Amino acid sequence: MMRLTPSYETRDAFFSYLEELFALSSDDLFAMIKDFYWDMSGGLSGGPSSLKMLPSFVDKPKGAEEGSFLALDLGGTHFRVLAVALDGKGKATVRHSSQFKVPRKVMQGTGAALFDFLAVCIDSFLTKNRFQRNRTYDLAFTFSFPVRQTRVDSGVLIGWTKGFTATDVQGKDVVCLLNDALRRKHIDCIRVTALANDTVGTLVARSYKDPTCNLGVILGTGTNACYREKWSNIPKLKRPKHPGHMIINMEWGDFSRVRSSCYDSELDAASVNPGAMRFEKMVSGMYLGELTRRVLVDAIKRRVIFIISPDAVQRFKRKGTLKTADMSLIEGDDTADLDHIDSFLKQKGILSTFDDRTLLKRLCGFISGRAAGLGATAIAAVITWMDPDLKKVHTVGIDGALFEKYTGFSTKMRSVLDELLGGKADNISWVHSKDGSGKGAAIIAAVAAASE
Ligand code: ADP
Ligand code: MG
């Protein structure tokens, strides 16, 4: 592919160019907030929009829901099966949980094989934890892909994201596919009562004990958010006088009105879903390492970094050789000589100078800084949509390893939020809503059971 960047003779000039390329100006961010409002409004009315604004058919819990529920969590690299107990006083406890790695060939094989894989995992979970097979367990299925729902317990996959491509699932009801697979494996003790997205689970899990939480965000393999909307503000539901509220799964990873660089375009073109999920590809854990790797390879080829290691380019040539978790380690290296970065590079067979290590750390900072800034701006957009003058206190429930583990990510988000909203940003706080996709799903199952 022809590269549009000019050639740079010195490392300083090239890295200054990169810094500017990934920088977010205030003008960019305020424009993005306006574009967010525009696309939120378009999505809610069913018009053209890069935000799908999918109704979830569930509202926030009241905090008094109780009982024991099973939950499934599929949406990234792992599949989890959980048993969760709700005490009716805002506390959800995971009693049992098992995690299974989803092999790439299962993610990218046939739909039947994928759902059979889930059923086998469920079977082993039930056996391991001695669940009785002669009674019925209510289960909520957290399925974190864009799904069109018309009720809480069914939904049709609109399209895969995050590297999944399993055939014969798009356009189908995923609860039916799960039930079919359970029947094939003779698992008759499960009743699927709710289908949810992890972002909805995250909001629900936090709001079970905290009524100020009206926004749930995922910053993990992918990125997404949901918030609480009035039925009367959702024209596509055609219930203008309905007095209630519903959680809307925004599918914000697909937001397309972002200024991207040539490296983003290359990453997108090489992905399994070119053209889609442009915001997610700039923000989330599945992509940040890969984006940084692409820029790094370009820098090595231009001979502005790792000059003393002639075959450095070979070490970063393959996809996956620089992970988002590696970036976090690199940015977290506070030793005087950047020793942690040095050992990371040595493990790859790369000798580096102190300047090389400083530049690598800077590069990671450009890319994670942009990701955190975009995430914070999207949060500001949704909160000011709900409360334009920021009169109320808002808690954002956030889940995902990027938010939880990436060195300095939350701090960078905070500084962009402060820059955008000034003193009013003090009304917004975020908390790690741990295990929203598991606990939250169980709460959704309880809400669904209560409204039957
Ligand atoms: P999911 O979104 O699939 O539920 P997680 O919330 O566990 O999964 O997020 C997984 C993503 O988080 C991975 O794509 C990885 O890039 C990123 N990640 C994992 N560990 C770290 C880490 N230590 N620092 C930064 N990012 C990490
Ligand atoms: Mg998750």
Side-chain angles (χ1 to χ4, degrees):
M1 182 183 287
M2 200 183 82
R3 193 175 290 287
L4 299 174
T5 54
S7 71
Y8 288 86
E9 279 156 28
T10 67
R11 52 168 63 191
D12 285 349
F14 186 62
F15 276 81
S16 300
Y17 158 75
L18 292 176
E19 183 165 29
E20 201 168 311
L21 191 67
F22 292 105
L24 301 165
S25 71
S26 291
D27 286 352
D28 283 345
L29 298 183
F30 283 113
M32 179 179 141
I33 291 180
K34 280 213 174 108
D35 289 339
F36 238 77
Y37 293 160
W38 187 259
D39 273 13
M40 286 173 76
S41 165
L44 289 170
S45 53
S49 166
S50 70
L51 294 174
K52 293 189 179 69
M53 308 298 282
L54 301 169
S56 67
F57 293 87
V58 73
D59 191 9
K60 291 206 310 187
K62 297 192 166 54
E65 294 77 3
E66 58 184 322
S68 292
F69 299 89
L70 296 180
L72 307 180
D73 177 16
L74 179 73
T77 38
H78 292 99
F79 172 59
R80 290 185 314 147
V81 190
L82 308 97
V84 181
L86 309 177
D87 74 350
K89 297 187 193 97
K91 188 159 179 249
T93 311
V94 176
R95 292 260 183 256
H96 306 284
S97 82
S98 295
Q99 177 159 304
F100 307 87
K101 188 160 173 46
V102 186
R104 181 182 291 273
K105 68 176 199 307
V106 171
M107 289 162 73
Q108 304 188 340
T110 67
L114 171 64
F115 282 87
D116 280 341
F117 171 81
L118 306 188
V120 169
C121 297
I122 295 166
D123 200 41
S124 89
F125 172 87
L126 294 173
T127 304
K128 183 176 156 210
N129 296 302
R130 300 204 172 91
F131 278 82
Q132 292 166 9
R133 304 284 179 130
N134 57 358
R135 51 160 291 196
T136 303
Y137 301 95
D138 283 350
L139 175 145
F141 183 16
T142 302
F143 181 79
S144 306
F145 301 96
V147 163
R148 194 161 322 278
Q149 288 184 262
T150 49
R151 33 190 280 181
V152 69
D153 61 353
S154 77
V156 168
L157 176 67
I158 297 170
W160 286 118
T161 55
K162 295 179 277 192
F164 279 68
T165 56
T167 53
D168 294 324
V169 185
Q170 196 174 322
K172 302 257 171 71
D173 183 336
V174 294
V175 175
C176 286
L177 295 178
L178 175 63
N179 278 327
D180 291 348
L182 292 173
R183 297 297 95 83
R184 284 198 291 276
K185 292 277 173 280
H186 308 291
I187 302 170
D188 300 316
C189 59
I190 284 177
R191 185 172 69 144
V192 184
T193 55
L195 177 68
N197 192 278
D198 56 351
T199 184
V200 179
T202 298
L203 167 51
V204 164
R206 181 67 204 178
S207 60
Y208 188 50
K209 59 180 167 205
D210 178 357
T212 67
C213 178
N214 288 309
L215 174 60
V217 172
I218 297 291
L219 289 165
T221 303
T223 184
N224 191 11
C226 69
Y227 74 105
R228 189 171 189 239
E229 185 58 280
K230 298 187 192 84
W231 275 71
S232 56
N233 275 353
I234 317 170
K236 64 184 175 185
L237 289 179
K238 300 196 169 64
R239 300 284 298 277
K241 299 221 166 74
H242 192 295
H245 289 79
M246 184 189 288
I247 298 171
I248 295 287
N249 165 20
M250 302 178 68
E251 288 296 331
W252 83 13
D254 209 13
F255 181 65
S256 61
R257 305 215 258 165
V258 273
R259 186 175 59 78
S260 56
S261 71
C262 53
Y263 301 104
D264 296 294
S265 305
E266 287 176 13
L267 178 147
D268 176 55
S271 69
V272 296
N273 52 355
M277 309 302 281
R278 294 304 298 263
F279 185 70
E280 176 159 284
K281 287 170 183 166
M282 296 165 81
V283 172
S284 79
M286 179 166 169
Y287 302 101
L288 296 186
E290 175 58 9
L291 187 59
T292 307
R293 184 192 68 83
R294 286 175 173 273
V295 182
L296 184 61
V297 166
D298 189 29
I300 300 171
K301 284 185 180 161
R302 288 169 189 272
R303 300 189 51 75
V304 293
I305 193 168
F306 302 144
I307 297 160
I308 60 168
S309 263
D311 61 348
V313 79
Q314 297 301 323
R315 313 292 176 180
F316 286 110
K317 212 170 139 193
R318 276 183 308 109
K319 189 174 172 179
T321 46
L322 183 65
K323 299 194 166 53
T324 304
D326 300 330
M327 293 171 67
S328 173
L329 176 138
I330 290 165
E331 281 204 69
D333 187 350
D334 287 330
T335 60
D337 294 330
L338 300 176
D339 295 329
H340 302 318
I341 302 179
D342 192 34
S343 358
F344 165 75
L345 291 168
K346 279 198 181 123
Q347 273 170 20
K348 293 202 173 285
I350 296 173
L351 292 178
S352 60
T353 63
F354 179 73
D355 278 358
D356 287 335
R357 299 195 286 277
T358 309
L359 288 173
L360 179 59
K361 187 172 169 179
R362 262 183 80 200
L363 171 61
C364 293
F366 300 158
I367 289 178
S368 69
R370 186 183 68 165
L374 291 173
T377 307
I379 288 173
V382 184
I383 291 186
T384 53
W385 168 274
M386 291 188 279
D387 178 10
D389 297 321
L390 283 173
K391 288 198 175 122
K392 295 187 199 137
V393 168
H394 300 270
T395 305
V396 188
I398 310 186
D399 198 10
L402 183 67
F403 176 78
E404 188 188 1
K405 296 186 182 157
Y406 197 113
T407 315
F409 202 83
S410 171
T411 312
K412 286 183 186 174
M413 284 173 63
R414 189 83 237 169
S415 69
V416 173
L417 198 75
D418 290 343
E419 181 191 325
L420 284 171
L421 303 175
K424 288 182 175 174
D426 293 346
N427 273 356
I428 301 173
S429 58
W430 43 64
V431 285
H432 179 209
S433 175
K434 198 162 170 52
D435 203 12
S437 43
K439 290 178 181 171
I443 299 164
I444 293 167
V447 174
S451 58
E452 258 175 4

